[in-house]
Amino acid sequence: MITLFIDTNVLLSFYHLTSEDIEELKKLVALVESKDIELIVPKQVENEFWRNRGAKIVDAMKKLREAKFNASFPSFSKDYGEYAEIREFLKKADKLHADLVSKITTDAKKMSLAADEIVTGLFKKATKPAFVQEHYLSALMRTRLGNPPGKDESVERRDELGDLAGDRQRGNRSPSCLGGQGLPLSAI
């Protein structure tokens, strides 16, 4: 069985305009359900996810709302039948766009987006290491001493104490302990 830890930012990327796809999460759910993968999700990751979910959706929705379906036409194009047809298509696109924004906004408020349902399911199926105060204090001490868990010349320095405590909760089963090779979700 493969043990997998997914950082909060990977989960949040499914709410943003990225190349990741909800289908990748569905594949992961199937692998967790079939016990091919043990998913580790410390409470810190789950809390961080719910704290940042709204901001990711707001940012993505801002970009979606900015989409415009209009075009400028020279005045002589109005004499052609295609002009009227194109204008109707653009008007219909504007209406469909407004409907889409409305439906997504409603589902986001109800926490019923497809990604919400899958992420919530993953949280329920995941192994959740217990919070151990000694791990937190150890991560805090190592950070203060300039030697945080997972610090490596090839890895960007992490200053987030929650991430460091999470390393300890996972038993230091982080990408750095896998020879610096994290498992990208798309590789599953």
Side-chain angles (χ1 to χ4, degrees), residues 6 11 25 28-29 32-33 35 37-43 45-47 49-50 110-112 115-129:
I6 299 179
L11 294 169
L25 277 177
L28 178 60
V29 169
V32 171
E33 286 175 344
K35 306 281 189 219
I37 289 181
E38 176 190 23
L39 180 63
I40 306 292
V41 179
K43 190 65 176 165
V45 168
E46 191 172 348
N47 291 342
F49 172 83
W50 292 116
K110 293 190 306 186
M111 294 187 160
S112 63
D116 290 328
E117 294 170 13
I118 292 171
V119 170
T120 300
L122 284 173
F123 286 159
K124 287 178 183 173
K125 293 172 178 46
T127 300
K128 295 181 181 168

